[in-house]
Amino acid sequence: MNIKHITIFSVVGMLLTITGCDNSPATRKQQQEADSLINAAYEGKNYQRIVTLADSLKETGGISEGKAYYWLGYASDRAHKKRLAELYWTKGMTVMDDAKTPEDLEVYAAIASRLTGLKCTWGEYETGLKVAVPALEHLKKYDAKMTSDYINLLIYQGCCQSRFGLSEEETNKSLEKAYQAHLDNMEKNPNAIAYRDAFVGVINICYNFLEIHDYKKAMYWIDRFGKLLEAYDKLPDARLEYADKQRARYYVYRATALEGVGRKAEAAKIYEDFLDTSYSLTAEGLILGSDYLRQAGLWNDAADNLRSTEKLIKEYGVDYSLQTIQEWMLKKYYVNMMAERVDTARAVSMQIVQHLDSAITKQRRQDAIEEEAVRQKEAEMTAEKEQMERQQWWTRLAVMAALILALIIYIIVRNRMAAKLKKAHEQLKVAYDQLEETTAVKERMESELRIARNIQMSMVPSVFPDVEGIDMYASMIPAKEVGGDLYNYLLLDDKLYFCVGDVSGKGVPASLFMAQATRLFLTLAKQAMSPAEICTRMNDALSGNDNETNMFVTFWLGLIDLTTGHLTFCNAGHNPPVIGCGDKDVTFLEMIPNAPIGIMPGMEYIDEEVETIKGRPLFIYTDGLNEAENKENEQFSDERLLDILRNTPFSSAQQVIELLSAEVEKHRNGAEPNDDLTMMCLQIRGIIKDVKGL
């Protein structure tokens, strides 16, 4: 690892420490415990407990800020503090605006669905669309399209579009997409829960079209409602009571829609089917049935059904609020008036008058309390935002200080190289500016680079010894037009010199340095020097004042006596070769690491020996092999290299090289090469005699 890598890793370490990136098992356990506490309060319908937990866990980091705002909004909504819920969910949308992880996207979808539903409840369809449309686009962008909240958003969008008067095509598109998502979910999870989610969605659609008196579209979706019921009945975990309730709702919706299009006889028959359900006898069922009876003008029957209004109010445990008076009592009054039941209508009107004043007073008091709560919460959020901005400012300052410190260290260590690189960059910039003046010059440069690549490739052998008993093959693939890897060999009588090297950097400078190293190897090898002596001479020639760019080359040089199979080699900071192929004994060759050539003049390199490698393939490579990365930055690795060679029977040196080339390409999976890739493989079979130099 060189100094540059050490500096980068130090900066990353400091940044992780400063920003508090923590995904440890302890943190995950803390988050799970926090979720369990809130879920327990949710199941117990303890909404004040949810508020307390969400506030405290947000401060301690037990849950994310976005999740805290979701639960605060949910608890406020359930406590009938709608404006406070709107405030929390709106803030949550802002906080989660850049959600990308599956967990954050799930929270984002839940907040968006709740906020859009609230807008629809208030009849604010335009603002509902302003929440739903961008939220759906964001979830679609990150492929989070199968959650129930995503489907709810689609339905809310379609209902808002129909209410807001947008095109019928856009409305149908949103609702059809939601319905298809429910079908896909039920196909993957054919259970009662998935079907109940679909019922909720389709019921909302049916109710929406009945509300706006679009009975034709209502019939279309009511038919789908019926098909879902038929499929639900066949499920092993279907609940009879739930099915009866939904079937009753289906009959009332269908009868109301048929009455709306003038098919009165069919509507009356369907209503008789509703009366056969158990749900029709309940207080809630009687009020549901009154919707059809009012549509059909059967005012006496509707008035009879609405007698259960007070019973339902008691069952629900609600008081006579403005909402109760508007939704139930006024409906009861109107129906009795239409049925000419004057006494009953007068009694209902007296109830309305009796409770109206206290309901208005209570609503005003509740509105004032909620407005004060919203004001206080907005002030708290503003204070939190200011505090967070201050913390972020100090964090940015700390990060900046760490970066400046790392930069100073880097400048001190690499000052000389930086100055020369700056000069070189300036020269290159001038050259590039000149080359970019015309397209012709640019094309000429590309042509020259192609020529340079051809020249470089011609400097490494493409033909290998055609001698019985020697199986040798090598390949070099530059990461750019030209590269800094090299390989070569020299057959000198009964001696075979061979080498593989990797010059620091890439591109043209590396290729020039590679050319010098190749020339020196061939020149010195022809003088029958030992590998260590060749490396020592090359180091003296390539280091010192002559090496103005401070470049170096990792180098592995071997010398085989072809009559005995004896191997003498010298390693200059290069990757260890692998010896063996197709058996469990495949391993990296043990050797002294030494320093690369070109770093320090005056170094004395040392020879190492292996008694014989006869019959055992030798594989030498550059780090463009074991450090090749895919799109997830996962390296090919030494372990994968050994595993492939251990499980690949040796057929030929060329077969080994081509196999590993294919494996590296498969590992990259479309990622651009991050380094030059050079490989050499050779095997000496038997004792070779009467070898002539080439």
Side-chain angles (χ1 to χ4, degrees):
M1 182 183 298
N2 59 33
I3 294 172
K4 182 179 180 182
H5 291 155
I6 294 172
T7 303
I8 292 172
F9 291 155
S10 299
V11 172
V12 172
M14 285 188 285
L15 291 177
L16 289 176
T17 302
I18 292 168
T19 56
C21 180
D22 186 4
N23 194 27
S24 63
T27 300
R28 291 195 296 271
K29 183 179 179 182
Q30 181 185 5
Q31 293 170 346
Q32 291 170 357
E33 290 174 350
D35 288 338
S36 298
L37 287 172
I38 291 183
N39 286 333
Y42 163 75
E43 291 172 0
K45 298 182 180 179
N46 190 340
Y47 305 123
Q48 184 55 48
R49 172 70 171 162
I50 292 176
V51 170
T52 303
L53 285 171
D55 272 330
S56 61
L57 290 171
K58 176 167 70 74
E59 293 299 324
T60 60
I63 61 175
S64 68
E65 191 176 10
K67 186 177 288 187
Y69 284 127
Y70 168 78
W71 283 115
L72 288 167
Y74 173 82
S76 300
D77 183 51
R78 288 295 180 176
H80 304 292
K81 299 176 181 178
K82 304 293 185 181
R83 290 299 176 188
L84 196 57
E86 178 190 26
L87 174 66
Y88 284 127
W89 285 333
T90 302
K91 180 66 175 178
M93 290 292 290
T94 303
V95 169
M96 302 300 293
D97 187 52
D98 60 346
K100 295 181 180 66
T101 66
E103 181 180 359
D104 285 348
L105 288 168
E106 184 177 353
V107 175
Y108 175 83
I111 295 174
S113 176
R114 291 281 183 180
L115 183 56
T116 307
L118 188 62
K119 297 293 185 182
C120 290
T121 301
W122 289 340
E124 297 177 1
Y125 303 113
E126 180 179 2
T127 54
L129 280 174
K130 290 180 179 179
V131 176
V133 171
L136 287 167
E137 288 298 321
H138 186 84
L139 293 168
K140 182 179 179 181
K141 177 181 178 182
Y142 293 102
D143 199 27
K145 299 182 293 184
M146 286 307 293
T147 65
S148 59
D149 289 307
Y150 177 86
I151 301 172
N152 286 339
L153 271 172
L154 285 173
I155 292 173
Y156 286 138
Q157 177 179 253
C159 292
C160 285
Q161 287 167 336
S162 67
R163 298 294 185 110
F164 190 53
L166 294 182
S167 71
E168 182 177 348
E169 181 182 354
E170 289 297 320
T171 300
N172 292 339
K173 184 178 179 182
S174 297
L175 298 179
E176 288 294 340
K177 189 183 296 184
Y179 184 69
Q180 186 58 52
H182 274 309
L183 293 181
D184 293 341
N185 192 33
M186 289 185 292
E187 184 177 355
K188 292 180 180 179
N189 306 289
N191 54 47
I193 295 175
Y195 274 80
R196 288 199 290 272
D197 286 342
F199 281 137
V200 172
V202 174
I203 286 170
N204 282 336
I205 298 172
C206 293
Y207 183 78
N208 175 72
F209 286 120
L210 288 172
E211 276 277 291
I212 61 177
H213 307 299
D214 191 339
Y215 300 114
K216 182 179 179 181
K217 286 184 182 176
M219 284 294 296
Y220 175 78
W221 286 100
I222 292 167
D223 287 340
R224 288 185 163 185
F225 188 5
K227 291 178 181 178
L228 287 176
L229 279 169
E230 292 176 7
Y232 179 81
D233 288 338
K234 299 175 183 177
L235 295 175
D237 57 343
R239 289 164 43 197
L240 295 178
E241 182 180 355
Y242 179 82
D244 179 77
K245 178 178 179 179
Q246 300 311 322
R247 189 168 287 103
R249 192 188 305 273
Y250 163 76
Y251 289 141
V252 170
Y253 283 0
R254 190 170 187 83
T256 303
L258 287 169
E259 184 70 28
V261 295
R263 294 158 64 179
K264 294 181 175 294
E266 293 178 62
K269 188 175 183 305
I270 292 295
Y271 185 71
E272 290 177 5
D273 293 333
F274 162 73
L275 295 177
D276 289 336
T277 65
S278 300
Y279 184 72
S280 68
L281 303 176
T282 66
E284 190 175 355
L286 289 168
I287 291 178
L288 173 66
S290 71
D291 290 343
Y292 159 73
L293 295 172
R294 286 187 294 114
Q295 178 75 15
L298 301 173
W299 302 109
N300 280 304
D301 292 339
D304 289 341
N305 279 26
L306 290 177
R307 288 176 181 173
S308 60
T309 300
E310 282 77 9
K311 180 180 179 182
L312 190 63
I313 290 174
K314 291 179 181 179
E315 284 183 4
Y316 279 5
V318 298
D319 56 9
Y320 284 88
S321 64
L322 289 177
Q323 183 178 358
T324 304
I325 292 172
Q326 181 184 17
E327 292 183 359
W328 292 345
M329 300 304 294
L330 287 177
K331 183 190 295 185
K332 183 177 180 181
Y333 170 78
Y334 176 76
V335 167
N336 278 279
M337 284 294 293
M338 295 301 294
E340 297 182 355
R341 297 182 179 182
V342 179
D343 291 339
T344 304
R346 183 181 296 112
V348 174
S349 67
M350 291 300 294
Q351 281 183 295
I352 294 173
V353 171
Q354 179 184 353
H355 295 292
L356 184 60
D357 185 62
S358 61
I360 292 173
T361 302
K362 183 176 181 180
Q363 185 65 45
R364 286 175 178 172
R365 184 170 61 251
Q366 184 176 341
D367 288 345
I369 293 172
E370 188 170 358
E371 285 177 7
E372 177 62 19
V374 169
R375 188 192 64 77
Q376 290 180 359
K377 186 53 64 176
E378 286 177 339
E380 290 175 10
M381 288 180 177
T382 301
E384 288 177 1
K385 181 180 179 182
E386 291 174 353
Q387 182 181 2
M388 184 178 297
E389 287 175 350
R390 287 194 296 270
Q391 291 175 345
Q392 290 175 346
W393 187 87
W394 282 109
T395 300
R396 286 194 293 269
L397 186 62
V399 171
M400 184 63 69
L403 288 172
I404 292 172
L405 178 61
L407 184 61
I408 291 172
I409 294 171
Y410 182 74
I411 290 174
I412 292 173
V413 174
R414 303 297 295 249
N415 185 57
R416 181 181 176 188
M417 178 182 290
K420 293 178 180 179
L421 283 175
K422 181 179 179 182
K423 180 180 178 181
H425 286 164
E426 290 174 352
Q427 293 172 344
L428 282 174
K429 186 178 184 302
V430 172
Y432 279 123
D433 289 343
Q434 293 172 348
L435 287 174
E436 290 177 353
E437 289 178 359
T438 63
T439 304
V441 174
K442 183 178 179 181
E443 291 177 351
R444 185 170 68 251
M445 179 181 177
E446 293 174 350
S447 176
E448 289 172 354
L449 284 173
R450 286 194 297 271
I451 294 171
R453 179 186 178 95
N454 293 336
I455 292 172
Q456 183 183 21
M457 295 305 293
S458 69
M459 295 178 67
V460 296
S462 58
V463 177
F464 302 95
D466 187 13
V467 177
E468 185 177 355
I470 300 177
D471 184 359
M472 183 178 187
Y473 191 79
S475 73
M476 182 176 74
I477 305 173
K480 297 185 177 180
E481 289 83 356
V482 290
D485 279 6
L486 64 98
Y487 72 85
N488 217 317
Y489 74 89
L490 177 67
L491 192 59
L492 193 63
D493 296 331
D494 56 357
K495 301 291 191 297
L496 175 62
Y497 288 90
F498 57 100
C499 67
V500 172
D502 182 358
V503 177
S504 60
K506 304 177 187 69
V508 174
S511 69
L512 295 175
F513 201 84
M514 165 264 190
Q516 293 184 66
T518 302
R519 175 182 57 80
L520 285 169
F521 161 73
L522 291 173
T523 300
L524 297 172
K526 288 177 181 178
Q527 300 177 39
M529 295 182 181
S530 70
E533 188 175 2
I534 292 174
C535 289
T536 300
R537 296 284 187 90
M538 288 178 65
N539 183 65
D540 290 340
L542 295 174
S543 61
N545 293 331
D546 292 337
N547 186 0
E548 294 184 357
T549 59
N550 287 335
M551 301 189 75
F552 59 85
V553 57
T554 64
F555 201 68
W556 197 93
L557 171 59
L559 170 61
I560 297 179
D561 186 332
L562 298 176
T563 62
T564 63
H566 182 272
L567 170 66
T568 305
F569 68 90
C570 180
N571 173 47
H574 199 73
N575 301 74
V578 179
I579 187 164
C581 185
D583 56 59
K584 295 181 180 179
D585 294 332
V586 172
T587 185
F588 290 112
L589 187 65
E590 294 184 3
M591 59 186 188
I592 301 171
N594 286 324
I597 290 172
I599 287 183
M600 186 183 302
M603 287 190 60
E604 292 289 336
Y605 289 87
I606 301 172
D607 278 328
E608 298 182 74
E609 299 181 1
V610 176
E611 185 63 31
T612 182
I613 63 168
K614 182 177 65 176
R616 298 199 71 192
L618 184 66
F619 179 73
I620 313 104
Y621 58 95
T622 61
D623 57 12
L625 172 64
N626 58 323
E627 295 181 6
E629 295 181 347
N630 57 19
K631 293 179 180 178
E632 288 74 36
N633 298 323
E634 178 188 6
Q635 293 191 347
F636 189 78
S637 78
D638 293 339
E639 292 76 13
R640 188 173 300 183
L641 170 60
L642 287 179
D643 184 64
I644 291 172
L645 291 177
R646 283 171 180 162
N647 293 283
T648 302
F650 184 84
S651 173
S652 68
Q654 183 174 350
Q655 170 254 344
V656 171
I657 300 295
E658 291 176 349
L659 171 67
L660 285 168
S661 296
E663 288 293 331
V664 169
E665 193 65 28
K666 178 180 177 182
H667 172 74
R668 285 200 190 105
N669 193 26
E672 290 294 325
N674 55 309
D675 203 352
D676 304 331
L677 172 59
T678 299
M679 297 178 285
M680 174 183 285
C681 183
L682 61 90
Q683 183 189 47
I684 307 300
R685 299 188 295 270
I687 303 302
I688 304 172
K689 299 179 180 180
D690 301 328
V691 177
K692 300 296 182 182
L694 296 181

